[in-house]
Amino acid sequence: MKDTKQTKSIGEFWVCAELAMRGWDPALTRDGVARTDILAINAEDSRQISIQVKTTTAGNWPLNIRRIGLAQQNSEWFVLVKVDKATHDIRGFVVPRNHVIAGTWIGHQSWLTDPEAKSGKRHTDISGARIDIPTFAGYEDRWDLLKEPASSAPVLLPHWQHDNAMLERVGLPEGHPWQQYLPNW
């Protein structure tokens, strides 16, 4: 049986170490704190960020964006962690919360409503979305993004997602700030 608590701990402690090496003072929150696994304060300017860590040993992350929710502050981030237990390799993807929501929605809705797919094969709603590494590849090792507000981060999602976000069958989730203005990427 998989030990998901151990996998979660690997990701959270690894993110704390990466933050500390980059001049942040990280602190793990207690289990049960919604939306935040790590609070970190920048040693230079005392800015505070909150990070939700999602760790996987598989090729994708289960991301229930209904439960995750849009950013409530301009300091909310995700670090998506990929752990290879066989080689001990760890990869991290530093992504603003609203980019995670958009990338997950666009990817899932594109898959769900693909006109080329055989009918009757795709029923999973957004709460069961599983998003793979290529969706967030542009954010790999982008710890530098944490130096600015999340809303200032460039959109590094795949270009096809921009095109699909403009499709009526895909779009963006209700209330997403990019519904007002879809940035280029």
Side-chain angles (χ1 to χ4, degrees):
M1 181 165 91
K2 260 188 192 176
D3 186 347
T4 57
K5 182 71 173 165
Q6 183 184 55
T7 299
K8 178 180 180 344
S9 293
I10 291 167
E12 290 174 353
F13 284 111
W14 180 79
V15 170
C16 283
E18 291 292 322
L19 288 167
M21 288 190 297
R22 290 168 171 80
W24 292 89
D25 295 323
L28 287 168
T29 63
R30 298 172 49 94
D31 282 341
V33 174
R35 303 168 59 90
T36 304
D37 296 311
I38 299 169
L39 289 172
I41 296 175
N42 186 284
E44 289 179 17
D45 62 11
S46 299
R47 240 178 15 87
Q48 181 176 306
I49 57 174
S50 62
I51 297 174
Q52 189 165 5
V53 179
K54 293 289 183 194
T55 306
T56 188
T57 57
N60 56 41
W61 296 273
L63 294 170
N64 180 349
I65 64 170
R66 286 191 182 132
R67 197 180 67 203
I68 292 170
L70 291 165
Q72 296 172 352
Q73 298 177 13
N74 205 7
S75 56
E76 294 184 56
W77 296 83
F78 266 81
V79 178
L80 303 170
V81 178
K82 168 68 171 91
V83 176
D84 185 328
K85 287 189 175 183
T87 63
H88 300 263
D89 288 336
I90 300 177
R91 298 169 67 186
F93 304 81
V94 182
V95 191
R97 179 177 287 272
N98 285 342
H99 296 210
V100 168
I101 300 295
T104 301
W105 177 273
I106 296 165
H108 184 75
Q109 289 302 110
S110 296
W111 169 83
L112 187 64
T113 64
D114 182 354
E116 307 281 318
K118 291 183 179 181
S119 65
K121 297 289 183 190
R122 299 180 182 202
H123 302 290
T124 306
D125 77 356
I126 194 68
S127 65
R130 298 189 72 80
I131 304 303
D132 58 6
I133 288 173
T135 300
F136 299 109
Y139 298 91
E140 188 165 9
D141 291 326
R142 291 303 306 267
W143 302 96
D144 59 300
L145 297 176
L146 298 174
K147 295 177 183 175
E148 300 295 328
S151 62
S152 298
V155 181
L156 303 172
L157 296 168
H159 293 290
W160 68 263
Q161 284 207 338
H162 183 275
D163 297 338
N164 284 19
M166 294 187 288
L167 297 174
E168 188 175 325
R169 69 178 177 86
V170 176
L172 288 161
E174 185 177 329
H176 195 285
W178 295 350
Q179 285 183 329
Q180 305 297 321
Y181 171 74
L182 185 64
N184 287 319
W185 66 83

